[in-house]
Structure formats: structure tokens, C-alpha cells
Amino acid sequence: MIRTLPGLPGAVGREATMNRPRVLLLGVVALSATLAVGCSGNADPPATPAETQVVRLTIPDWSLRPAGTSCAGAGPYRFAHAEAPFVIQDDDGREVARGTLPSGTSEKAMDVDFNSNVRREPTLCVMRIEVEAEEQVEGHLLVLDGRPGLPIKKSETAEFAGEVVVS
């Protein structure tokens, strides 16, 4: 059967026809548009992408070593050492991130000149914990090896998302 569509451009003086492939294509396009509109209205909003944040962890182990060398923590804080498990929790106890502690770098424990001949001096072990989290970790708790959580406090520098001192 031929359908005449009067008044369409290009159809003047001859009969315009709609063949099956064109009708099928229009039907598929219409169905796709309907599904796209119908499915997008009630969907959950996309999750916030995880962001890498760095937390400064200071372990006051007071080890005698040169400043700037690699350290692993421990000393009186045997639970806070390189490769120890950690979890970051929010106020409700929900896990925000987890991982293992990295090696640290020793920093001078006090601003004292011990003479240039002294190669070792009291130091702290400072670790840079990189975490992937969808929310800011400042104000959350850092749980080391299952012990009570330590608060992640506001950092004094923009380099860190927060700071924790083991005590």
C-alpha cells in the first residue's frame, strides 16, 4: 500500500512513500528516546568520585638516627609501624578508607643544634598516608591495628588533608 503525504517538500508532483526500513528506524529512535528519558529521571545521582588525600601521621618514637632517613615507626608504639593495617572511620563508625601504613621519613624531634659531629639525633617518624576517599577525612578517626581511633585534625598546611599524632 502506498500512502500519499501531501504538502511535504520534495513530494510535490509525485507521491511520497514511507518504506518499512524508515518506519523501523523511526520506531527504534523513538523507543530509545523514551527509555532514556524514562530511566534517567529516577536513577540515583552518580557517586562522588574518590579523591586521593594525604594524612600526616607523626609517631613520636624518639629514635636516635639521622633526620631525613627512612623509618618504620614502632618504638613505644609497636602498633604504629610500616605495614600495620589502618581504617578511617566517620563519626558513625562507617569505614571511609582502609589500607596499610607506609614507611616514613625521620624528622628532628626538637630544634636543637647537637654539634655538626653528631650524626644521630632524637627524631620522630612521619608517615604520609595516601587514602582514596569520597569525602574529606578531616574530623574522622584513624584506627590503627584495631585500637581506639585517633582524631584526624585540621592540618596547618595545604599539603595534607589532616594530621594525626600517635599518643
Side-chain angles (χ1 to χ4, degrees):
M1 177 173 154
I2 298 177
R3 286 184 57 193
T4 303
L5 301 173
L8 288 178
V12 178
R14 62 186 164 90
E15 293 182 68
T17 62
M18 294 186 70
N19 54 24
R20 285 184 192 261
R22 186 173 292 166
V23 171
L24 183 61
L25 178 63
L26 288 173
V28 168
V29 169
L31 180 62
S32 297
T34 302
L35 288 175
V37 170
C39 292
S40 65
N42 294 332
D44 291 333
T48 306
E51 173 187 336
T52 300
Q53 301 175 57
V54 180
V55 175
R56 176 184 165 100
L57 175 63
T58 302
I59 304 168
D61 56 4
W62 294 90
S63 291
L64 295 174
R65 58 188 162 221
T69 59
S70 179
C71 60
Y77 306 104
R78 299 223 180 267
F79 60 92
H81 59 85
E83 299 186 15
F86 74 84
V87 174
I88 295 179
Q89 295 178 340
D90 65 10
D91 293 338
D92 297 326
R94 184 180 60 86
E95 182 179 303
V96 174
R98 75 171 34 243
T100 57
L101 294 179
S103 293
T105 303
S106 61
E107 292 185 4
K108 290 175 70 166
M110 56 188 104
D111 192 20
V112 174
D113 183 11
F114 283 102
N115 185 344
S116 60
N117 295 330
V118 176
R119 298 190 64 210
R120 299 182 325 162
E121 59 186 301
T123 61
L124 312 171
C125 187
V126 177
M127 297 178 177
R128 296 174 50 93
I129 306 172
E130 293 187 7
V131 296
E132 295 286 327
E134 297 174 356
E135 57 191 71
Q136 293 298 314
V137 295
E138 178 191 329
H140 291 356
L141 296 175
L142 175 67
V143 178
L144 297 173
D145 203 20
R147 295 181 176 270
L150 301 166
I152 301 174
K153 297 181 179 176
K154 182 176 181 167
S155 175
E156 295 179 9
T157 67
E159 181 180 2
F160 300 105
E163 297 188 22
V164 177
V165 176
V166 176
S167 56

